[in-house]
């Protein structure tokens, strides 16, 4: 029961991350601002990670592959914020 619920919630978060990806890519196409591109890429990485976690039976979310992808996602978000505020 717990595994099925975890997979269901992982799928829901993956879908939300995918929707956020499309949202940010839409604004990137309209403005050509790299802030939106980097956020879109970060949420795309999160969507792929969550989707993969939902499909596999990995016991620990902190496996190196998933941890490195999550680290890259947060690095992209930090880079987007730093790039946006660099000119101020």
């Amino acid at each position: 029961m717990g595994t099925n619920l975890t997979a269901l919630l992982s799928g829901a978060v993956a879908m939300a991350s995918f929707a956020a990806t499309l949202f940010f890519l839409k604004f990137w196409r309209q403005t050509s601002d790299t802030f939106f591109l980097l956020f879109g890429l970060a949420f795309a990485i999160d969507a792929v990670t969550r989707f993969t976690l939902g499909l596999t039976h990995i016991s620990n979310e902190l496996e190196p592959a998933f941890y490195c992808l999550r680290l890259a996602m947060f690095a992209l978000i930090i880079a987007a914020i730093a790039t946006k505020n660099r000119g101020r």
Side-chain angles (χ1 to χ4, degrees):
M1 173 84 178
T3 305
N4 290 337
L5 183 61
T6 301
L8 177 72
L9 292 176
S10 248
V13 173
M15 183 184 68
S17 292
F18 182 69
T21 299
L22 295 178
F23 179 77
F24 283 116
L25 290 180
K26 173 186 158 191
F27 283 109
W28 171 68
R29 286 186 61 182
Q30 290 176 350
T31 64
S32 297
D33 191 351
T34 56
F35 175 81
F36 295 120
L37 177 65
L38 293 176
F39 260 74
L41 290 174
F43 278 99
I45 290 171
D46 188 47
V48 168
T49 303
R50 300 289 179 171
F51 183 73
T52 306
L53 277 171
L55 290 179
T56 59
H57 296 287
I58 295 177
S59 61
N60 190 357
E61 234 177 86
L62 296 176
E63 297 266 338
F66 295 110
Y67 182 79
C68 288
L69 285 173
R70 194 166 292 164
L71 181 66
M73 179 190 86
F74 286 115
L76 282 173
I77 290 173
I78 290 170
I81 293 170
T83 303
K84 188 70 173 180
N85 290 316
R86 188 177 346 162
R88 295 182 182 186

